[in-house]
Amino acid sequence: MEKQFNLRTVNVTRYITPLREGGSLPALAEADDDFKYVLKFRGAGHGVKALIAELIGGEIARALGLPVPELVFANLDEAFGRTEGDEEIQDLLQGSQGLNLALHFLSGAINFDPVVTEVDPKLASQIVWLDAYITNVDRTFRNTNMLIWHKELWLIDHGACLYFHHSFTDWQGHAKVPFTLIKDHVLLPQASQLKEVDAEFKAILTDEVLRGIVNLIPQDWLQWEDVDETAEQIRDIYFKFLTTRRDHSEIFLKQANDVR
């Protein structure tokens, strides 16, 4: 049976406050389902590419059974933000009309502190494998991008992964390189089960699963002015990057084990 991947779509009804710890100025917002979300804007610095990275990284983590907040498509009406007093925020809202991406807000969550919370080797290995696979540069001591919520570890912020797409040249080469920045990963010292996790995760991330995740990318996020490829060709490059990297996981696995 074909695996279906779907994201809900909500309409943003209220901009609550900017979350200034994020480089792209995400915001806490409320939607028409009465839930609060951390809203990521298409009009921010890296534009739709950061949203695509967030979408693919988050949904791969979910497919692997890792705890990530629900992702939703968040629609911003053209009238939204006209009454906002802060000019920078007003420009951001005006430049983000249409479909954006949001994560369910984990109310009361606290930042993960590796000194306070010990992560078991299996979970640490799973998270390190994920980040090496999707080339996520943001899971360091300086910026762990993990939260503790209801005494469980949750993964957030995957917008800096898949950084090959910022130049979008030689995806084949990028897919087969070791991920040297894994040396800075906050959980690397505990990740002693990478070989076992590699076998488990590669079995989960079938072509069908990866195609389903890539197909979630909205068409209007793929209208890039700086490339010659069509939207469908861009989507296919993401798919080929992910399958190639999966099939050559021994390259990034060796890197992780060597620096451990």
Side-chain angles (χ1 to χ4, degrees), residues 177-226:
V177 296
F179 184 53
T180 57
L181 292 174
I182 203 68
K183 65 182 172 55
D184 300 320
H185 199 289
V186 67
L187 296 180
L188 186 62
Q190 288 80 48
S192 58
Q193 298 182 20
L194 288 168
K195 187 176 180 182
E196 298 91 320
V197 166
D198 181 58
E200 290 172 16
F201 278 4
K202 287 170 75 170
I204 294 170
L205 294 178
T206 62
D207 285 9
E208 183 183 37
V209 166
L210 293 173
R211 179 68 78 182
I213 291 171
V214 168
N215 283 346
L216 287 171
I217 306 171
Q219 196 75 3
D220 73 335
W221 288 6
L222 295 169
Q223 311 299 323
W224 300 355
E225 295 177 359
D226 54 342

Side-chain angles (χ1 to χ4, degrees), residues 123-196:
L123 180 57
S125 301
Q126 290 174 328
I127 296 170
V128 167
W129 190 97
L130 166 72
D131 290 333
Y133 172 55
I134 62 175
T135 62
N136 181 22
V137 302
D138 265 0
R139 202 95 71 193
T140 65
F141 280 94
R142 187 177 60 82
N143 191 23
T144 66
N145 277 336
M146 292 184 284
L147 299 174
I148 301 295
W149 190 60
H150 294 297
K151 299 181 180 178
E152 286 187 332
L153 189 69
W154 288 74
L155 309 181
I156 59 167
D157 277 348
H158 297 96
C161 72
L162 303 175
Y163 54 79
F164 85 95
H165 65 180
H166 293 295
S167 61
F168 217 66
T169 55
D170 187 26
W171 67 263
Q172 297 99 325
H174 283 286
K176 295 179 185 177
V177 296
F179 184 53
T180 57
L181 292 174
I182 203 68
K183 65 182 172 55
D184 300 320
H185 199 289
V186 67
L187 296 180
L188 186 62
Q190 288 80 48
S192 58
Q193 298 182 20
L194 288 168
K195 187 176 180 182
E196 298 91 320

Side-chain angles (χ1 to χ4, degrees), residues 32-48:
D32 57 358
D33 60 356
D34 293 331
F35 285 115
K36 291 185 176 67
Y37 294 93
V38 176
L39 183 56
K40 306 291 184 85
F41 296 102
R42 63 188 297 163
H46 287 304
V48 292

